[in-house]
Amino acid sequence: MAAPLVLVLVVAVTVRAALFRSSLAEFISERVEVVSPLSSWKRVVEGLSLLDLGVSPYSGAVFHETPLIIYLFHFLIDYAELVFMITDALTAIALYFAIQDFNKVVFKKQKLLLELDQYAPDVAELIRTPMEMRYIPLKVALFYLLNPYTILSCVAKSTCAINNTLIAFFILTTIKGSAFLSAIFLALATYQSLYPLTLFVPGLLYLLQTRHINPNSAAAVHTCENEEQSLLDLFLGVCHDVCGKPSGNHLPLLLPSQLLGFHPRSLWLYINVFFYTIPLAIKLKEHPIFFMFIQIAVIAIFKSYPTVGDVALYMAFFPVWNHLYRFLRNIFVLTCIIIVCSLLFPVLWHLWIYAGSANSNFFYAITLTFNVGQILLISDYFYAFLRREYYLTHGLYLTAKDGTEAMLVLK
Amino acid sequence: MGLLSDPVRRRALARLVLRLNAPLCVLSYVAGIAWFLALVFPPLTQRTYMSENAMGSTMVEEQFAGGDRARAFARDFAAHRKKSGALPVAWLERTMRSVGLEVYTQSFSRKLPFPDETHERYMVSGTNVYGILRAPRAASTESLVLTVPCGSDSTNSQAVGLLLALAAHFRGQIYWAKDIVFLVTEHDLLGTEAWLEAYHDVNVTGMQSSPLQGRAGAIQAAVALELSSDVVTSLDVAVEGLNGQLPNLDLLNLFQTFCQKGGLLCTLQGKLQPEDWTSLDGPLQGLQTLLLMVLRQASGRPHGSHGLFLRYRVEALTLRGINSFRQYKYDLVAVGKALEGMFRKLNHLLERLHQSFFLYLLPGLSRFVSIGLYMPAVGFLLLVLGLKALELWMQLHEAGMGLEEPGGAPGPSVPLPPSQGGKHTGPRQGLDGTEAGSPDLPSTAAGLHRPHQLLTGLPAGHHHGAHCCACQASWAPDPLCCPAGADQPGSHAPWQPVPVAGAAGGATVTGRGLAALPGSASPGCAGAPHLRRPALPTAVPGPLPLLAAFLECALLEVRSACPGWDRDSPRTPFCLLLGK
C-alpha cells in the first residue's frame, strides 16, 4: 500500500505548497483559531532574533516555546515551510504505520476472543474483518493530511504541528512495543506542552497488555511503570540539562495560570485535562488505544489555548473507529455544529475586533459552542464504543424478560 | 442533553419531524413573513432615544450667523469651478487659509476597472483639499470631519460655501476639544475613498494617492453635506453605507434632535414621517420606508459619501438639502445652526459612539427596530432550511435501512408503528441458515430495528449503494444483495470463524468489498461479498478504489433521491457506470 500513501502525501504537499505561495499564508498565520500565543510562528521568529541579539529569548514574555524548538529552528529557519510540510508528512506516516500494526493487534485479539467463545452467538455482523480494515491506515493518513484544520495549521506554521508529530510517533512506538522510544517521544511531547503527560497512562496500559501482563496485578504494573516513569524522568532531565539554564524556569512558564498571571479559575481548567484520565483508565483499561484517542480529544478541548491543529489530530483517528459508525447517534447535529462554528469563528472575530459592533462574548460563545460540539462528539464515540462492547458480549438481539425487543438506554 | 440521549424522546421528535415536516415548514415561512410585516406596529417598533450620555442635553444656543458669507463663498466657488472645469484647488486653498485653517491637498488617481462611457474616461484623477482646525487646548488625538463631496458637475456649491462659513465660525470658538477636518473631495466617492485610505494608511481599492501631509487624530464622527440650493425646505438624511453598514443610531438621533430644536423639517428617504402610528396609515408608510431601507442596504451601494467612512468604524451621516414646492423655506443659517449644534455635541464625546444600536431598521425617523426584533423573522425563514435538511437526513436513513438486513438490537429511534416490530423475526430466522427469511427482506419496510440511531441515515444508504455495486461487480445476475443465501457457504474465507449459518443467513459480516468509504461501518447487505470472488478493491490496488468509493458516495445521493427507485432492481445505470 505504499503507492496510495505516496500519492496522498504528494497531494497534501502540493496543497500546502500552493497555499504557502499564495497570499493566504499571511492571513492564515494571523488567525487566532489557528495559532495561539503558545504556538505562533511569529513568536518563534521573535525568540530566535532575541537569541541572535544575545538576549534571553524568554525575556519579555513573548516567546513560550521550548529551547529544543530554538535549537531546531536555529539551523532550519530558512527552510521553515519545508520543515512544517515534512512534519505533517511524518505525522501521517507515523499514524499510518501505527494504525496498520494496531489493526493487526485488533484482529488477533478478536480472533482470540472468538475462539474463547467470549462473544455472543449472533454478533456476526459486528465482527471486523481484515477486508474492511484494509484501507483504514490509508484513510487515517488521508484524514490527517487533507483535513482543512491540518492544512491551516501547517500554512500558519504553528508549532502545534510539531507537537502532533511527537504524539504520533509516541503512538507509533507504543504500538510497536518499544517502551524506551515511546518514553522518549512522550517526554519530548510533554516537554513542549504539559498535556501529553496524560497519555502516559494509556501508553503504559498498552505496553503492559502487549507484554501480556495483567494490568490488575500491581507488582507487574509497578515494575513496568517504574521503567517507563524512570525513562520519562531521565529524558526530561536530559532535556533540561542539555538546553541549559533557560529551561530551568521554562517548564513553569508553560503553566497557563502563570502565563496569564495567576487566576484561580484557570487552575480548574488546567486540572480538567488531567481529571478525566483516572475514570477513563478505569473504564477503558482493556482498550488503551481508544483511551488514547479520547484522551487526545480531551486535551484538545480543555487545554488552555486550543487551536484547530489539536482538533485535527484526533479527527485523524475517526477511520479507526468506523465500525462504530452505526452506533453513533448525533452525527447530523455534530456536523452542523462543527461546520457552523468553524465558519462563525472568523466572522465573530471580525465583528469584535474590526467592526467594533460585537464584543468578546460573541466570540467566546462560539468557542464554547465548538467545545460543546466536540464534547458531544467524544461522548458519542464513547457511547458507541461501549455499546458495541456490550453487544459483543451480550448479543445483538436483546430481548427483555417478556420476549419483546429491548431498548438499550444509557443511564 | 436529554433530548440527544433519551431514546424515547428522540423517537417522538423524529416522528414529529417526519410527519409534520411540510406543515411545519410552511408555518415557519409564513411566520417569518408575518413577523417581518408586523415590525412596523407599535410593540415591535420603538421610539428612538439618545443612548449616549455625553450627548444628552441640547441646551446650548447656536450662534452661527454666517448665512451671507456662506452664500458669497458658494457663488465664488461655483464661478471658479465653472471657469476651471474641475475643483478650484488654488482658490479653495486660499480661502481656507484665509479662514484660519491648516490647509493640505492630496492628489489621487485611479484606473477604472470598466471605462466610464458617459464621461469617456478610463482614468480618474483629482485633488482633495482639506483644512484642519486644531483644537486650541487639546492634544489633537481625536477629530471630527465635515466633508463635502464635489462631483464633476456643478452641484454642491452651497455646501462648500456653508462649509467655509462654518469653518470661519468654528475658528473663533474656544470650546473645541477635538480637531475638525473640513474636507472637500473631488469625484465624490472616489476622492473620499482616497482620502480615507491615505488617512488610515491602508490600500484596499488600489488607489494611487499621494500621502497625506497633515493628520488630525482618530476620527470619531463625520458628516457629509450635500446642498445645491440657497434655500431648503427640508433636510434629508441617508444612513445606508457600503455593504449595508449603518452608523450608530445615536448619530441619527442627534440629527433629529437638532432638527427638531431648530424647527427644521427632516425627512428620511425624502418622505416626511407619519405622525400617527395608531391608525393604519402610519404603519403602512412605515412599512414602505422599512422595505425600501432593506432594499437600499441589500444593494450594498453607499448612499452618500458617509458610507465609506463606516468601513473604518467612523460613524457618519449624509445630509442632503431638498428644495421642494413647500412654501416655508429655510436658509443656510438654519442648516448651519443644526450642523453647529451637532458638532458641539459630538465634541462632547468621551469615547466612540457605541451605546446605541449598530444594526437596526427604520420605519420612520423617530422609530426604529433593533436587530434583536427583526432577526427572528429571518430565523423563521432559515428554520425551513434546517427542517428540510433534517427531514432529508432522516429519510436517507430510512431508505438505506430498508435494504439492510435486520440490524441487531432494536434501535430506539426508528419511528415505526410497532406492528413492524414483528417483521424482524423473519430475518432473524435467517440467521439460522435458512433462506426463509430472505424473501421477506426486500419487502420489509424501513421499519427494521437496528442499532442505528435515527440520525445516522447516511451510512446505511452508503452501504446499500456501495454494496450493490459490489454485488454487481461480482455477481451480475443477483437481484438483490441481501441474504438471499446465494452465497456458497463452502467458500467461506478461512479467516472467518463465525458460524457459517450466521454468515449465510444474512448476518452481514462486514465483508464489504469497498471498504474505502469513510465512515462506512459494518451493516452492508448480507451475503458478505468477501465470500465471493474478490471484488475490485482487492484486485486493483491503488487509488482507484478510493476514487470509485468517492464517486459512489456522490452518486448515491442521486440514486436515493430517485423517486422510482426500486429496491428489487439494483441494476441501476449508476452501478453500470462505475463499470465494475
Side-chain angles (χ1 to χ4, degrees), chain B residues 403 439 441-443 464 478-480 482 565-571:
Chain B
L403 255 219
L441 210 46
S443 56
H464 163 68
D478 183 39
L480 195 53
C482 53
W565 177 54
D566 187 2
R567 288 185 191 135
D568 289 330
S569 58
R571 196 191 272 274

Side-chain angles (χ1 to χ4, degrees), chain B residues 83-84 103 153 181 204 213 247 291 304 323 372 548 552 559 565:
Chain B
K83 198 165 65 181
S84 67
V103 188
D153 43 0
V181 179
V204 293
Q213 306 297 325
L291 290 174
N323 192 7
E552 206 177 54
R559 264 181 63 172
W565 177 54

Side-chain angles (χ1 to χ4, degrees), chain B residues 62 233-235 256-266 328-330 334 337-338:
Chain B
E62 291 88 17
T233 52
S234 60
L235 269 184
Q256 208 208 340
T257 314
F258 277 99
C259 282
Q260 276 174 351
K261 186 172 181 219
L264 211 53
L265 267 185
C266 42
Y328 196 77
K329 314 260 186 202
Y330 303 90
K337 276 194 178 164

Side-chain angles (χ1 to χ4, degrees), chain A residues 163-204:
Chain A
N163 205 13
N164 284 357
T165 310
L166 292 171
I167 295 181
F169 271 100
F170 161 70
I171 296 178
L172 174 66
T173 49
T174 308
I175 293 184
K176 291 274 188 197
S178 157
F180 178 65
L181 283 176
S182 81
I184 289 182
F185 282 112
L186 186 63
L188 282 172
T190 310
Y191 188 54
Q192 191 175 3
S193 81
L194 196 53
Y195 304 101
L197 189 60
T198 53
L199 295 174
F200 177 67
V201 179
L204 184 67

Side-chain angles (χ1 to χ4, degrees), chain A residues 7 114 124-125 127 129 131-132 135 138-139 322 325-330 332 355 387 391 396-397 405-407 409, chain B residues 5 10-11 313 390 405-410 449 451-453 455-456 459 498 508 510 515 517 519 521-522 538 545:
Chain A
L7 179 70
L114 276 170
E125 69 189 58
I127 306 291
T129 63
M131 184 75 77
E132 71 149 8
Y135 283 104
L138 185 64
K139 281 195 246 179
N322 62 6
Y325 199 46
R326 61 190 291 185
F327 300 111
L328 290 173
R329 297 181 306 164
N330 298 323
F332 185 65
R387 190 168 179 170
Y391 281 144
L396 214 43
Y397 299 97
E405 40 174 311
M407 227 159 47
V409 174
Chain B
S5 59
R10 278 169 78 102
R11 207 194 305 214
R313 205 65 249 150
L390 199 57
E405 52 81 37
H449 296 285
H452 268 286
Q453 297 303 305
L455 300 180
T456 61
V498 175
T508 51
T510 59
L517 277 179
S522 49
T538 51

Side-chain angles (χ1 to χ4, degrees), chain A residues 375-394:
Chain A
I375 293 174
L376 193 59
L377 183 94
I378 306 183
S379 61
D380 220 12
Y381 263 100
F382 198 58
Y383 170 77
F385 192 84
L386 293 178
R387 190 168 179 170
R388 179 174 174 269
E389 296 299 311
Y390 187 82
Y391 281 144
L392 280 176
T393 47
H394 292 85

